[in-house]
Amino acid sequence: SVVVGKTHQDDDDDDDEKTTQDDGKSGDDTKAKKQLLEQQQQQRWCRIRGDRSIGRYTAVSATAENTTTTSNGHSSSDAQAGEVADSTELDVEIDLQIGQLTLRSKHLAALEPSVANHRDVRSIFGDATIQASLSERSLHRMIYRLVGLDHEIEFWHGGHNECVGIPAKHDREYDPAELFDSELWLPRVFEPVRRAFFDGPSPPSMQFLMPAEALPPDAEVAVLFGLHQRLGGPWKRVVVFRRRRCVHVYELVTRAREWWWSLHLATDARFCLAA
């Protein structure tokens, strides 16, 4: 999975305000482009000081430029190009002698195809080639900083290999022929959905579990869990509404190494939160 977040120019290590994919409205895109243009106008390329730094330049902000001096001691605002001291903390550096662009001491390259072709990345940034630097690598996550876009991408390349555990109370297999008297209303609402989508042959039929204890006679809602046909753990969460004769089916998905229940099916969209 992919998580896209806006970087912080003042503190690149700050992980606050991470956001997932926006809705892509044209007004938001225009605002983002305007902010990017303003940021570029506030930066200026300066030489890197030192005998071994011929042809090396870095971009500094207007604030930093005011305190930067040339080798003659004049303010950089009065010179064609200022100078800054050589440091590992330089944000962006270009070496004209070898034609190399470096970001935070990390060499730049086109974003890997597995990341660039992800549907979330393509919907936000389009099909253009994106230059990025790998700023962090861990067991399940890689963080890329995008050049000139003021964003970073968290790419989670390793998903879960097993489902979560089965809830302790749900250890009775659902069988329409073996229900308590207080549960006889359940097949009338749930069976049409189960037979249409979860009764095989492709995909294979799904086993459903329900609470071991009988539902109360006045119960208005029943919750069942459908087990994954291969992994065996909970994969579907079925909520059956008695009075409204409606069924919601939620699917267990993983994003950024966290489990989420996502609405997968509803027999009546009027009773969904998204309706």
Side-chain angles (χ1 to χ4, degrees):
S1 62
V2 168
V3 178
V4 180
K6 186 176 178 64
T7 59
H8 300 270
Q9 186 175 0
D10 295 335
D11 186 1
D12 293 321
D13 296 329
D14 191 357
D15 289 332
D16 293 342
E17 297 182 15
K18 290 292 191 302
T19 59
T20 55
Q21 176 185 355
D22 294 332
D23 56 6
K25 295 182 179 179
S26 59
D28 294 339
D29 294 340
T30 304
K31 182 178 180 181
K33 292 179 181 179
K34 183 178 179 181
Q35 292 176 348
L36 179 58
L37 180 60
E38 292 177 351
Q39 179 183 350
Q40 292 175 341
Q41 293 175 345
Q42 293 174 357
Q43 291 184 332
R44 179 177 178 180
W45 287 98
C46 295
R47 289 190 295 266
I48 299 177
R49 187 181 303 120
D51 297 336
R52 302 176 61 88
S53 299
I54 299 176
R56 295 174 61 201
Y57 292 84
T58 185
V60 297
S61 64
T63 303
E65 182 185 353
N66 292 335
T67 59
T68 305
T69 58
T70 65
S71 57
N72 296 327
H74 296 93
S75 172
S76 62
S77 59
D78 299 329
Q80 184 175 1
E83 287 187 352
V84 296
D86 191 4
S87 170
T88 58
E89 298 299 325
L90 296 177
D91 190 21
V92 180
E93 176 190 334
I94 185 170
D95 192 327
L96 298 181
Q97 296 191 88
I98 60 177
Q100 179 174 280
L101 188 64
T102 306
L103 180 66
R104 285 280 177 169
S105 301
K106 298 182 182 296
H107 301 316
L108 304 183
L111 198 60
E112 293 186 6
S114 58
V115 183
N117 293 328
H118 193 279
R119 62 178 183 272
D120 291 345
V121 176
R122 292 171 65 93
S123 64
I124 296 176
F125 301 107
D127 299 330
T129 302
I130 302 175
Q131 294 292 320
S133 67
L134 181 62
S135 60
E136 183 179 328
R137 181 193 297 270
S138 58
L139 181 61
H140 299 289
R141 182 188 67 173
M142 293 185 293
I143 299 181
Y144 296 90
R145 184 177 178 187
L146 309 185
V147 178
L149 296 177
D150 199 24
H151 282 74
E152 65 180 16
I153 293 178
E154 295 184 9
F155 180 64
W156 298 79
H157 52 83
H160 292 281
N161 296 324
E162 57 184 20
C163 296
V164 297
I166 300 175
K169 296 181 179 180
H170 287 68
D171 57 359
R172 173 166 56 112
E173 184 176 359
Y174 168 78
D175 187 343
E178 298 183 1
L179 297 176
F180 293 100
D181 293 340
S182 61
E183 301 168 342
L184 296 179
W185 62 270
L186 187 57
R188 293 195 297 269
V189 183
F190 178 53
E191 275 302 291
V193 177
R194 189 189 69 83
R195 292 175 180 174
F197 300 102
F198 306 110
D199 200 23
S202 180
S205 59
M206 181 175 293
Q207 179 186 8
F208 289 91
L209 300 180
M210 56 187 307
E213 298 182 358
L215 296 177
D218 58 347
E220 291 290 339
V221 177
V223 178
L224 297 84
F225 285 94
L227 304 184
H228 195 282
Q229 293 91 331
R230 180 172 57 86
L231 301 178
W235 188 32
K236 306 289 185 180
R237 182 176 184 266
V238 181
V239 182
V240 185
F241 298 91
R242 180 178 185 176
R243 190 178 302 276
R244 301 188 183 277
R245 301 183 65 84
C246 175
V247 178
H248 289 181
V249 179
Y250 297 85
E251 183 173 284
L252 189 63
V253 297
T254 175
R255 183 176 181 86
R257 299 289 295 180
E258 293 184 355
W259 293 109
W260 303 88
W261 288 108
S262 178
L263 183 63
H264 178 66
L265 181 150
T267 57
D268 195 333
R270 295 176 300 172
F271 303 120
C272 293
L273 292 178

